[in-house]
């Protein structure tokens, strides 16, 4: 997670990011599969006191990482089933995210990764008002270095610039760009900011896509 969240909200020292991610994934995968063996790393320890198997999980529960930087993507490709990039636009997906995690997964002998792109989008008759709402909700991300990098990589200046808003054709075309860039799924975010009619129109497109 972000240092600005982890340290003040949880009172934890910020760990070495990639080492911690690798240890976390190494410890987590066996637990989800019902292997309760202890794991002792340099940044975390896992000693289950009971069964951790997820009842009825067939196939196995996939682990998806919110990875966007190259080292995190390499770890996710090697040790997880995919990534959930948020606020990484189509160009960034195609040029920086999809190739790195796909190559890492292949090198580790793993299947092609899931890439679930989180995209703020809404079908609405008032795109300007939608942007104002989303700007307020996403302003927090403009201060986080990892998000600053992916927003800049897309050639944009703020998280709100990634909002897809407009009529059905506009939003459909915008979301298709993510699939064309290599996303295996698209997760539409921030529909809670809009009224029931706009949400219904947005979800109708999602069903068709």
């Amino acid at each position: 997670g972000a240092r600005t969240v982890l340290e003040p909200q949880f009172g934890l020292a910020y760990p070495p990011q990639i080492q911690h991610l690798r240890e976390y994934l190494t410890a987590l995968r066996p637990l989800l599969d019902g292997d309760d063996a202890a794991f002792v790393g340099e940044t975390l320890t896992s000693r289950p006191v009971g069964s951790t198997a997820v009842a009825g999980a067939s196939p196995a529960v996939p682990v998806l990482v919110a990875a966007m930087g190259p080292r995190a993507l390499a770890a996710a490709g090697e040790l997880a089933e995919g990534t959930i990039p948020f606020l990484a636009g189509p160009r960034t997906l195609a040029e920086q995210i999809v190739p790195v995690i796909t190559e890492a997964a292949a090198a580790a002998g793993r299947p092609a990764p899931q890439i679930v792109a989180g995209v703020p989008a809404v079908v609405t008759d008032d795109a300007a008002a939608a942007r104002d709402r989303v700007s307020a909700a996403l302003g927090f991300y403009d201060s986080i270095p990892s998000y600053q990098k992916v927003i800049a990589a897309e050639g944009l200046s703020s998280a709100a610039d990634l909002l897809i808003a407009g009529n059905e054709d506009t939003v459909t075309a915008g979301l298709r760009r993510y699939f064309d860039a290599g996303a295996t799924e698209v997760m539409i975010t921030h529909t809670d900011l809009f009224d029931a009619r706009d949400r219904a129109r947005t979800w109708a497109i999602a069903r068709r896509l």
Side-chain angles (χ1 to χ4, degrees):
R3 183 189 297 269
T4 52
V5 174
L6 191 69
E7 291 187 339
Q9 294 189 17
F10 294 96
L12 299 173
Y14 201 58
Q17 292 169 276
I18 304 305
Q19 179 184 2
H20 183 68
L21 175 60
R22 285 186 168 278
E23 290 187 1
Y24 193 99
L25 294 174
T26 300
L28 179 62
R29 177 76 269 166
L31 297 181
L32 294 176
D33 294 338
D35 179 352
D36 301 326
F39 173 86
V40 179
E42 293 184 22
T43 70
L44 65 85
T45 297
S46 169
R47 294 192 180 93
V49 296
S51 175
T52 61
V54 180
S58 180
V61 177
V63 175
L64 304 180
V65 181
M68 295 188 291
R71 293 188 298 156
L73 286 165
E78 178 186 341
L79 300 169
E81 279 68 53
T83 184
I84 310 180
F86 178 48
L87 301 178
R91 186 171 79 187
T92 307
L93 277 180
E95 296 177 0
Q96 299 186 19
I97 291 178
V98 174
V100 174
I101 191 171
T102 301
E103 181 179 341
R110 298 178 62 86
Q114 297 178 48
I115 299 168
V116 183
V119 184
V122 63
V123 177
T124 180
D125 296 327
D126 194 342
R131 180 183 168 84
D132 288 342
R133 291 188 183 186
V134 169
S135 294
L138 295 180
F140 166 76
Y141 294 96
D142 292 333
S143 66
I144 299 177
S146 58
Y147 288 99
Q148 291 172 345
K149 290 178 183 177
V150 294
I151 291 166
E154 196 67 19
L156 304 175
S157 58
S158 71
D161 293 335
L162 285 155
L163 172 68
I164 305 171
N167 63 23
E168 280 79 1
D169 290 342
T170 297
V171 177
T172 296
L175 293 176
R176 285 194 186 282
R177 291 183 62 211
Y178 284 84
F179 288 112
D180 293 342
T184 58
E185 297 177 59
V186 169
M187 174 178 60
I188 298 175
T189 71
H190 292 82
T191 57
D192 60 304
L193 299 178
F194 306 101
D195 62 28
R197 180 173 180 270
D198 286 351
R199 286 198 300 272
R201 293 173 69 189
T202 305
W203 294 338
I205 301 191
R207 282 194 295 271
R208 289 198 294 272
L209 285 173

